[in-house]
Amino acid sequence: MRVCVIGTGYVGLVTGACLAHIGHDVICVDNNEEKVKLMKSGQSPIFEPGLSEIMQSAIQTGKIEFSTDLAAGVTHGEILFIAVGTPPLPTGESDTRYVEAVARGIGANLNGGYKVIVNKSTVPIGSGDWVRMIVMDGIAERQKTLVTAGGGSEEKLPDSTPQFDVVSNPEFLREGSAVYDTFNPDRIVLGGNSTKAISMMQELYAPIVERKFAEDKSSPSVPVLVTDLSSAEMIKYAANAFLATKISFINEVANICDRVGADVTQVAKGIGLDSRIGSKFLQAGIGWGGSCFPKDVSALIHTADDYGYEAQLLKSAVSVNERQRLIALEKLQQALKILKGKTVGLLGLTFKPDTDDLRDAPALNLIEQLNRLGAKVKAYDPIISQTGMRHGLSGVLVETDAERLADGCDALVLVTEWQQFSSLDYSKMAKLMNNPVIIDGRNFLDPETMIRAGFQYVGVGRR
């Protein structure tokens, strides 16, 4: 099928590259010329395991193109994905101006042939109808321009308005596993009221639904849930809000464990064996961050407020998370007492491993607070230390390896559970430090191993 993906962030680029990989003809459109030039060369502007290889393969087979020409993309695509960012505003609601601009641009360039316009961006509930309205406005503006250019004589026929339908197709991709998640999804959600549009989307995803590109091709077909537009939009917010709440819950339990002498890792294992609860997202630590959880939970709270309902549970989940980010600071103060004049090293900067994303990362809060208290802050991150992104960080010295990080430190804080951090030479690192203390902000390391290496080990909710 012919596909146009507008916006090449995490969602758009992964979606476009993976759809091209399974055989569709894809044009990815972005208004950033430098970014498009980079992608044309086969390089990904973001770090995502497996993405560059998928892109380069699709470029070689001619299945994917990158362009700044929206009109060409709209003309090419039977299915048009809107995959631009919807960053949070200070009020907590989503900034939808980029979605609006794209929808208007699509309307201005629609010309013959039925199209399915897909909301892939995480948009406020009710945006399906809103996007339809904006597209229609774009069509009307274009027709008005044509009439004016033609000297006032209307040449269009009443039935010449381009035909299209809007579908909501929320994404459930994890940064660091986005390519894997695209080919091995738990479910595909399609929201819309057009049988034709839903049928085209099912055809688009058929190879994925049939597990033709899955890690385990013998797995049952991917469940496809067809709903109305608003329900599909709500599913995305509800899923992320639930996962964020689950993390905040186990962090709350961890804080109680710290006070009563229980071990939260054992508690999490015990409750996770309950099939009604499950073990995922029960890892206590220094809180959640990134581009999705904070934004989506805030947007859902804001939507509830708009409709006269106070989402108290969600607000509490946010409050617990904000407090949890300071847990590492409290533990540093307990171990070192005065932080002024001390050197603290951070193992990891990104909000999670296998990504270069620093958006709303707990490390940023920790750096800010340590600077405020007069500590010197150093950091080592497997990705950030190798990229120019480190120049955008203030108040922290980014080191090139873990041993340079440890040298002269009074304490280390494990912030991101990069797999590489499980096999560092901690014995050597302990000897390089002024005071071998490590705060394991993700309960990632083995306490006994760290003690044998010479560290004073402090976890979150661990004895």
Side-chain angles (χ1 to χ4, degrees):
M1 301 181 75
R2 300 188 311 279
V3 179
C4 172
V5 180
I6 305 161
T8 57
Y10 278 97
V11 175
L13 184 54
V14 171
T15 298
C18 290
L19 288 175
H21 183 73
I22 67 175
H24 299 299
D25 294 304
V26 180
I27 291 181
C28 289
V29 177
D30 200 287
N31 60 5
N32 185 322
E33 292 185 3
E34 287 300 314
K35 191 176 181 182
V36 168
K37 183 179 179 181
L38 182 69
M39 292 185 292
K40 282 183 174 181
S41 72
Q43 298 181 64
S44 171
I46 57 175
F47 177 79
E48 186 64 43
L51 180 57
S52 292
E53 293 82 353
I54 292 283
M55 287 174 59
Q56 291 163 11
S57 174
I59 290 171
Q60 290 172 3
T61 58
K63 285 295 182 179
I64 195 166
E65 297 178 30
F66 301 96
S67 175
T68 58
D69 190 344
L70 178 61
V74 172
T75 300
H76 166 83
E78 303 167 80
I79 297 177
L80 314 175
F81 282 93
I82 300 177
V84 292
T86 53
L89 294 168
T91 59
E93 61 186 319
S94 298
D95 185 349
T96 57
R97 57 182 157 170
Y98 306 112
V99 175
E100 179 177 358
V102 169
R104 196 175 299 278
I106 289 173
N109 290 286
L110 283 180
N111 187 18
Y114 175 77
K115 308 281 187 181
V116 178
I117 300 171
V118 185
N119 271 340
K120 197 70 173 173
S121 301
T122 302
V123 290
I125 298 156
S127 292
D129 293 333
W130 174 74
V131 164
R132 168 174 282 280
M133 179 186 73
I134 299 300
V135 172
M136 291 300 297
D137 286 347
I139 292 171
E141 290 170 10
R142 177 173 181 270
Q143 291 179 337
K144 183 178 179 180
T145 301
L146 290 174
V147 169
T148 302
S153 59
E154 292 197 33
E155 298 180 7
K156 63 182 182 66
L157 299 174
D159 63 350
S160 65
T161 300
Q163 299 300 303
F164 70 93
D165 281 302
V166 176
V167 168
S168 175
N169 175 216
E171 53 83 19
F172 303 101
L173 307 179
R174 299 167 296 168
E175 288 187 32
S177 307
V179 172
Y180 175 87
D181 289 345
T182 301
F183 294 137
N184 303 271
D186 295 318
R187 75 288 202 196
I188 292 173
V189 176
L190 303 173
N193 53 16
S194 164
T195 303
K196 182 177 182 179
I198 296 298
S199 177
M200 288 177 65
M201 293 300 294
Q202 289 172 326
E203 180 184 350
L204 179 80
Y205 284 126
I208 292 175
V209 171
E210 295 163 7
R211 304 284 189 184
K212 291 182 178 178
F213 294 86
E215 186 176 77
D216 181 2
K217 295 180 173 58
S218 65
S219 299
S221 297
V222 177
V224 179
L225 177 63
V226 178
T227 75
D228 57 273
L229 279 167
S230 295
S231 295
E233 292 160 352
M234 176 62 90
I235 286 168
K236 169 63 175 177
Y237 283 110
N240 277 349
F242 180 81
L243 295 176
T245 301
K246 195 173 181 182
I247 297 171
S248 287
F249 168 79
I250 200 62
N251 282 334
E252 191 104 273
V253 170
N255 296 337
I256 300 172
C257 286
D258 262 335
R259 288 156 175 79
V260 302
D263 188 331
V264 73
T265 61
Q266 296 300 312
V267 174
K269 184 176 181 179
I271 65 175
L273 290 171
D274 187 327
S275 61
R276 298 168 300 174
I277 297 174
S279 61
K280 293 182 178 179
F281 288 84
L282 284 180
Q283 288 72 46
I286 56 174
W288 38 268
S291 62
C292 292
F293 282 8
K295 176 174 71 73
D296 292 354
V297 176
S298 294
L300 191 53
I301 290 170
H302 189 274
T303 297
D305 287 340
D306 279 347
Y307 287 84
Y309 180 76
E310 184 180 3
Q312 294 182 7
L313 179 61
L314 299 183
K315 289 181 178 179
S316 294
V318 172
S319 177
V320 168
N321 191 60
E322 290 173 348
R323 184 177 69 231
Q324 199 69 18
R325 292 186 173 204
L326 301 180
I327 287 293
L329 190 68
E330 292 177 13
K331 292 182 181 294
L332 282 169
Q333 289 172 323
Q334 291 166 5
L336 303 179
K337 307 308 179 187
I338 303 300
L339 296 182
K340 192 177 185 68
K342 303 290 176 61
T343 301
V344 177
L346 307 183
L347 279 165
L349 287 167
T350 56
F351 86 96
K352 64 178 292 188
D354 298 318
T355 180
D356 58 0
D357 199 344
L358 286 167
R359 286 176 290 183
D360 206 27
L364 302 180
N365 297 84
L366 198 51
I367 291 167
E368 180 185 4
Q369 293 302 315
L370 287 169
N371 282 325
R372 181 181 66 81
L373 292 170
K376 176 183 178 181
V377 188
K378 301 199 294 180
Y380 166 67
D381 184 279
I383 293 297
I384 302 301
S385 293
Q386 299 174 23
T387 68
M389 288 180 63
R390 62 182 182 271
H391 300 305
L393 291 164
S394 60
V396 58
L397 171 64
V398 180
E399 298 285 11
T400 54
D401 61 61
E403 291 176 10
R404 286 176 180 269
L405 172 72
D407 192 15
C409 275
D410 296 285
L412 297 177
V413 181
L414 189 143
V415 178
T416 313
E417 62 274 36
W418 285 93
Q419 193 57 45
Q420 296 95 312
F421 293 166
S422 65
S423 57
L424 296 175
D425 188 345
Y426 285 104
S427 295
K428 184 175 182 180
M429 290 168 63
K431 292 181 176 67
L432 292 168
M433 295 175 66
N434 296 333
N435 188 24
V437 172
I438 188 160
I439 311 298
D440 187 354
R442 298 295 180 185
N443 290 343
F444 178 68
L445 303 170
D446 176 59
E448 292 184 6
T449 301
M450 299 308 297
I451 292 168
R452 285 197 300 270
F455 277 95
Q456 175 189 341
Y457 174 88
V458 182
V460 180
R462 303 184 83 172
R463 287 187 290 118

